[in-house]
Amino acid sequence: MRRILILDDEPAVLNALRRTLRTAFAKDDVVIEVFDEPEAAVLRAGEQDFDVVISDYRMPGLNGADVLQFVKGLQPDAIRIVVSATTEIVDIADAVNRAEVFRYLAKPWQQEELVATVRDAFARKDRSQRPAPAAAPEDTCRQRELDRLEQDEPGITRVDRDEDGNIRLF
């Protein structure tokens, strides 16, 4: 069973999002929980795993980027989506960068786009949960070559990085 958490401070928007997704997905296949308070949504995300978390950006108190960043910490595999009327690129970039948002949908959204985005999110979640495939023969050959190089020249395959992740050259 799939689980979706929806957060928006406007009850009419919450109802419209829930209605659109309820129509698109069978009741037995998807559980949708809605919240109009950011803190309540974060608390619930600490209790229950969700496949997809959809949040408005502009809300009193915590904004959508804050909420989705908390959710990311609690549930790193949950797919995060922002639905908002904001057109401020700085705000959108903030949500994408801090919370690693999967998609941004502008209000008013198109129903087909919302449903397609949630389907894509489910597919991404499924891909992230698949076990890694067994090493391909070329991966094994590559690893043998790296092992040989490391044996001949210790440290040659190691990359030193600074605190920002940049490669250090000596």
Side-chain angles (χ1 to χ4, degrees), residues 161-168:
R161 297 184 182 271
D162 65 17
E163 59 276 356
D164 294 325
N166 298 316
I167 296 174
R168 285 191 226 178

Side-chain angles (χ1 to χ4, degrees), residues 32-46:
I32 300 172
E33 294 188 37
V34 297
F35 296 87
D36 59 1
E37 295 178 2
E39 295 80 5
V42 171
L43 286 172
R44 183 63 177 146

Side-chain angles (χ1 to χ4, degrees), residues 140-159:
T140 304
C141 291
R142 179 178 182 273
Q143 187 59 51
R144 276 199 306 261
E145 182 60 17
L146 287 172
D147 292 343
R148 186 191 65 75
L149 286 169
E150 192 63 35
Q151 184 176 12
D152 292 346
E153 297 289 334
I156 195 168
T157 61
R158 188 178 63 235
V159 177

